[in-house]
Amino acid sequence: MNDERRNKRLRLLITRLNKERKKQAKQLDILCNDFIAAQKDFIKSLNTIGFAADFYEAIAGLTELNELLCTAGNLIKDRIPDANVAFFLLALSTVEGLAPSSTEGPQHGNFELHIFESDLAIDLENRRIENFFTAELVGNIAKSNRICTIEDMLAMGLAGSPACLEKISTAAIPLSTPASSLGFVLIYRSSRNQLTSDELKAVAQIMPGLGRSIASCRALVNSI
């Protein structure tokens, strides 16, 4: 009888130990998963910081606008593979604090457009998405001063061909200085490879520095 009691207590003890072991194992799995997730986030942050550092180093000292935008466009394309990059800059006459210049880029109403293409072609059915951007739409996006999705742009007046728009993943990232909006950067690529939030955040973080550099280039031209 005593042996039976001992065996019963032993079985209960083993059962409790097994439950405790499973509980601890589950807690350990949670801790490991949290650690792995934190490590991934840390690596992403390092990559983003590294991109910003490389970007600012590359544009430091550039005083000619086309060279600045070419360098910036290539660096953004390196960060976002297979993407096309277009800079929509408000004409100087619409930017507070800067006087118009006779050396501005290609004019489209109240903005100038600078395009840097990916090597990977996108079939836009004989029309580029940039061709759908009117002066009013460019102004609306610039004034919003936030990252705009295709849905945001449609709400602001984008009237592109559905057959064209459904083939691309696109976003507009604002370009500004503390004093005024300068325009935005349009990034797009095939909808088969959607733009990610991490990619857009990485580009968004370098926009303030790029905006100041653009403003400096324009101010320098006006001072000559």
Side-chain angles (χ1 to χ4, degrees):
M1 193 68 179
N2 288 336
D3 288 342
E4 184 177 346
R5 287 199 194 95
R6 282 197 297 271
N7 290 337
K8 185 176 181 180
R9 286 199 296 269
L10 184 59
R11 285 195 297 271
L12 287 172
L13 179 60
I14 292 173
T15 299
R16 289 171 184 167
L17 287 173
N18 286 335
K19 286 183 179 179
E20 187 64 25
R21 189 179 295 113
K22 290 179 180 178
K23 181 180 178 181
Q24 290 178 350
K26 185 176 181 180
Q27 291 174 336
L28 184 60
D29 285 342
I30 292 173
L31 288 173
C32 288
N33 289 335
D34 288 345
F35 175 76
I36 292 172
Q39 189 177 42
K40 288 181 178 179
D41 290 340
F42 179 67
I43 292 173
K44 285 181 181 179
S45 296
L46 285 180
N47 289 337
T48 300
I49 293 171
F51 168 67
D54 291 342
F55 183 90
Y56 288 135
E57 181 180 3
I59 68 171
L62 297 182
T63 57
E64 201 279 316
L65 182 60
N66 286 329
E67 183 182 6
L68 172 65
L69 294 180
C70 182
T71 300
N74 286 329
L75 289 168
I76 291 172
K77 289 196 300 174
D78 287 342
R79 181 62 179 82
I80 305 182
D82 303 327
N84 291 307
V85 178
F87 293 91
F88 288 80
L89 302 183
L90 296 178
L92 288 176
S93 58
T94 67
V95 178
E96 184 179 352
L98 290 176
S101 167
S102 60
T103 60
E104 292 180 10
Q107 291 292 308
H108 300 262
N110 69 336
F111 65 92
E112 55 183 276
L113 176 61
H114 303 260
I115 301 173
F116 301 92
E117 297 181 332
S118 164
D119 294 331
L120 188 63
I122 298 177
D123 177 15
L124 298 182
E125 296 188 347
N126 300 321
R127 292 203 66 183
R128 300 183 56 91
I129 185 174
E130 294 92 341
N131 293 336
F132 298 127
F133 282 72
T134 63
E136 181 181 4
L137 175 60
V138 169
N140 289 337
I141 296 174
K143 289 176 185 176
S144 73
N145 201 30
R146 60 185 172 87
I147 296 178
C148 292
T149 64
I150 189 67
E151 290 78 12
D152 296 324
M153 288 183 267
L154 287 169
M156 292 177 184
L158 177 62
S161 162
C164 167
L165 297 179
E166 69 182 8
K167 293 181 179 180
I168 61 173
S169 173
T170 185
I173 303 176
L175 260 173
S176 62
T177 67
S180 61
S181 172
L182 300 177
F184 58 90
V185 179
L186 184 73
I187 300 173
Y188 66 91
R189 66 185 177 195
S190 170
S191 58
R192 292 189 296 271
N193 185 14
Q194 293 285 323
L195 296 171
T196 69
S197 60
D198 287 337
E199 289 172 331
L200 297 180
K201 287 177 182 177
V203 174
Q205 75 159 353
I206 52 94
M207 289 297 101
L210 178 58
R212 288 191 295 270
S213 295
I214 291 172
S216 295
C217 287
R218 286 176 148 184
L220 180 62
V221 169
N222 286 328
S223 68
I224 298 175

